[in-house]
Amino acid sequence: MKKFSGLLLVGCSAFALAGCGADDISSPGSDSINITNPTPAPTPAPTPTPSTGLVVAATECPGAAATGGLALTNDGIISGPEGTWRVCTLPALVNVTSTLPKQTGVIYRLNGRVDVGCDGGFAAPTSAAPRSTTTVACGGRSLTADTNVTLTIEPGVIVYGDSTNAASWLAVNRGNKLIAEGTAARPIIFTSLQNVRGANNNDSMGQWGGVVLLGRGRTTDCSTGLGSVAADNCERVTEGAADPANFGGRDNAYNAGSMKYVQIRYSGYSLAPGNELQSLTGGGIGTGTQLDFIQSVNSSDDGSEFFGGALNMKHYVAINADDDSLDLDTGVQANVQYALIIQKPSAGDSFFEFDSNGNEADTPRTKITVGNFTAIQTAIGSGNSGNQASALFRGNADVTLLNGVVASPTNECLRLNGTTANGSAPASLVARSVVMTCGGTAPVLGTGTYTDATAATAFGTGANNNNSAFTSTLTSTFVNGAGENAVAAFTNYASLNASGQTNISSFFTSTTWIGAVQNSTDNWFRGWTCDTTNANLGSNSACTALPTT
């Protein structure tokens, strides 16, 4: 059963992707407060007044020449511990290819849902099959083709969601793109109003919606009235509004844009039971979409969730998700490498939840490969109450785990659920060079058609360098120690290709170590991320604060 706690903002717009899996929703964070920094005392002339090191608000918002034609609204100045910013609010519809430039003293605001372009529909229009001219809900526009809007966000830009009056989130509709490419030194930050005002702590979460990428990849579990799996015209819908955001199609190579060196903080807005947003949500995106160096911080739902389509993602960091850190559903074909997952003490559900929402007979079957991952609890008493294990694989999910480290000292590590409903084969598991430090009643459990014994056999401890009774030697919380580095890594991807279940993508980079972080010199996670009290990534930048440059 899903459970919810925390008060939703009254009067918010009910937009959210229909999630699946357990959803532990906790406190939405602190109330907004306005912190005004005092003006430093002047020094006697002719000595110059020393710099305070604080941000000083720009005089105006970037104009059309800087944005490419996007009209921003100047909404005054906002103050916080790091100084003051000029607030530049995006329109509800970004209807022109445009840029959010990095300018000193400027911060960008989402005031409710912001759409990037209008939804282009199930398939891209062509000359042979043009889209019929019709008025669509997105901006009341008449369309015969995709709007082809691209929103580019420059390195170092900060965008915040203001959910004071309505849930704020960014929806990148089918036929449009988001290009948010930061750098290691200047990541792009999506965050909340409360974070800007300095009101957050390590328990703050659920303060705005998040980033949603929508595409034309194949999905299962069609929304009512939006096609069927059998007819291969299945679509799903962002529910709860007269202006929904749909996703789905037949293009698993769909390109929704690029996100690199991005932090998404304090998101995960819950609008109704079963309708939640997380830091990053993908609906039917494809392999043309580039996702690399993504950090989710304090999401009140999942760290990220992807429905259908095809996902390729590297260098993923999920900190303090209050539900699952990585949730993959409804026929997604997913490849993820270098994943670092750290749960908050006494909170959160699973590191991984992979399934297909109970429709086991639907195709494509959910197929997932995760390589070089480290997933840990930071203290005794962490959650997992909903899924009853640190990883839950069920209903129509074929999962391959490679070169992984799981440290779950309080809870069972893995639960494999099987069903033969509708004649479908149950969820399946292949593991190679995966070690787990577990608590609870047993390291591996089975439910449905899987007994504990058959689930344990599927994991295969003692073979293929797998060990479900491993003693963790991690250092600095998540860096491989002597024990982890003594485990032989899996490198022979071709050996799995003949099994009929697993075909390892060329997306993966062969490594000679297990886990996400090989040793103290392996620092791919450092600099572009921010730190929390239980997850010090060595970036010297607290997630409760904002950069001043």
Side-chain angles (χ1 to χ4, degrees):
M1 293 292 293
K2 296 177 183 287
K3 60 179 181 176
F4 299 88
S5 60
L7 181 65
L8 300 182
L9 291 181
V10 176
C12 64
S13 300
F15 303 103
L17 282 176
C20 49
D23 296 280
D24 277 341
I25 307 299
S26 65
S27 169
S30 307
D31 292 334
S32 301
I33 59 174
N34 195 1
I35 299 175
T36 303
N37 292 279
T39 303
T43 55
T47 304
T49 300
S51 169
T52 65
L54 299 176
V55 177
V56 177
T59 304
E60 295 289 343
C61 291
T67 65
L70 182 66
L72 300 168
T73 301
N74 185 339
D75 277 321
I77 294 174
I78 190 171
S79 301
E82 290 78 38
T84 59
W85 283 270
R86 175 68 54 186
V87 177
C88 302
T89 301
L90 277 69
L93 173 62
V94 178
N95 61 3
V96 60
T97 291
S98 49
T99 297
L100 300 184
K102 170 62 178 174
Q103 292 193 9
T104 301
V106 167
I107 196 166
Y108 297 96
R109 172 176 176 251
L110 307 176
N111 184 29
R113 171 178 165 177
V114 172
D115 284 282
V116 176
C118 293
D119 179 26
F122 182 83
T126 64
S127 57
R131 178 173 173 173
S132 60
T133 302
T134 182
T135 299
V136 296
C138 179
R141 304 182 69 185
S142 295
L143 302 175
T144 56
D146 286 352
T147 45
N148 289 321
V149 168
T150 297
L151 176 64
T152 298
I153 303 178
E154 291 187 346
V157 162
I158 302 172
V159 180
Y160 76 89
D162 184 349
S163 294
T164 302
N165 300 310
S168 295
W169 54 291
L170 186 67
V172 183
N173 290 297
R174 291 180 293 191
N176 307 280
K177 292 184 177 68
L178 172 67
I179 306 297
E181 296 186 358
T183 66
R186 304 188 83 179
I188 293 166
I189 299 175
F190 292 94
T191 191
S192 66
L193 170 65
Q194 293 90 331
N195 192 193
V196 178
R197 287 184 166 168
N200 282 353
N201 57 40
N202 199 55
D203 294 323
S204 300
M205 60 181 65
Q207 297 172 337
W208 69 291
V211 178
V212 179
L213 305 178
L214 302 164
R216 292 180 170 127
R218 282 184 162 87
T219 188
T220 62
D221 303 78
C222 319
S223 293
T224 302
L226 290 179
S228 69
V229 171
D232 195 19
N233 60 357
C234 184
E235 295 179 79
R236 287 174 62 86
V237 62
T238 300
E239 296 179 345
D243 186 10
N246 297 345
F247 64 89
R250 300 190 183 105
D251 183 9
N252 270 11
Y254 181 86
N255 181 1
S258 176
M259 296 181 69
K260 297 180 180 180
Y261 295 106
V262 170
Q263 300 174 18
I264 309 176
R265 307 178 180 180
Y266 307 111
S267 61
Y269 217 91
S270 176
L271 302 168
N275 291 309
E276 306 85 35
L277 295 175
Q278 29 278 318
S279 293
L280 177 61
T281 303
I285 66 170
T287 54
T289 308
Q290 299 181 55
L291 299 174
D292 202 359
F293 297 100
I294 307 291
Q295 183 186 24
S296 165
V297 181
N298 284 42
S299 169
S300 67
D301 194 55
D302 302 319
S304 63
E305 185 166 14
F306 296 88
F307 300 82
L311 165 69
N312 284 339
M313 180 167 64
K314 279 186 177 176
H315 303 107
Y316 171 63
V317 179
I319 307 297
N320 296 348
D322 207 45
D323 191 10
D324 308 311
S325 296
L326 180 62
D327 197 342
L328 301 172
D329 307 287
T330 62
V332 66
Q333 312 292 289
N335 298 309
V336 179
Q337 189 174 25
Y338 308 118
L340 176 59
I341 293 170
I342 302 176
Q343 283 185 335
K344 187 167 56 177
S346 302
D349 202 341
S350 293
F351 303 135
F352 303 130
E353 180 180 306
F354 303 156
D355 62 22
S356 196
N357 205 29
N359 291 343
E360 287 80 10
D362 282 356
T363 55
R365 288 178 64 93
T366 301
K367 184 177 178 182
I368 299 158
T369 303
V370 183
N372 288 97
F373 61 90
T374 299
I376 64 171
Q377 297 169 342
T378 55
I380 300 299
S382 291
N384 301 347
S385 59
N387 288 341
Q388 300 178 310
S390 289
L392 174 63
F393 307 144
R394 63 184 177 195
N396 204 12
D398 295 326
V399 180
T400 299
L401 302 178
L402 306 174
N403 298 329
V405 176
V406 174
S408 181
T410 301
N411 300 300
E412 296 82 356
C413 280
L414 192 153
R415 182 177 293 269
L416 191 62
N417 181 73
T419 176
T420 54
N422 302 315
S424 172
S428 59
L429 173 65
V430 170
R432 298 289 187 271
S433 299
V434 176
V435 298
M436 305 192 301
T437 302
C438 313
T441 60
V444 180
L445 298 175
T447 54
T449 57
Y450 282 99
T451 65
D452 292 353
T454 56
T457 299
F459 176 75
T461 191
N464 300 309
N465 298 315
N466 296 327
N467 187 350
S468 62
F470 185 76
T471 300
S472 172
T473 64
L474 293 171
T475 64
S476 302
T477 305
F478 52 82
V479 177
N480 280 0
E484 288 80 14
N485 281 329
V487 178
F490 175 78
T491 59
N492 188 11
Y493 289 177
S495 68
L496 291 183
N497 291 348
S499 69
Q501 175 194 309
T502 304
N503 184 14
I504 303 299
S505 170
S506 60
F507 165 82
F508 287 92
T509 301
S510 181
T511 68
T512 57
W513 65 90
I514 69 170
V517 183
Q518 178 185 14
N519 52 39
S520 60
T521 64
D522 185 2
N523 58 8
W524 64 262
F525 54 88
R526 186 171 296 153
W528 60 275
T529 55
C530 61
D531 302 322
T532 68
T533 57
N534 65 300
N536 185 349
L537 303 178
S539 294
N540 297 317
S541 174
C543 297
T544 52
L546 296 176
T548 57
T549 57

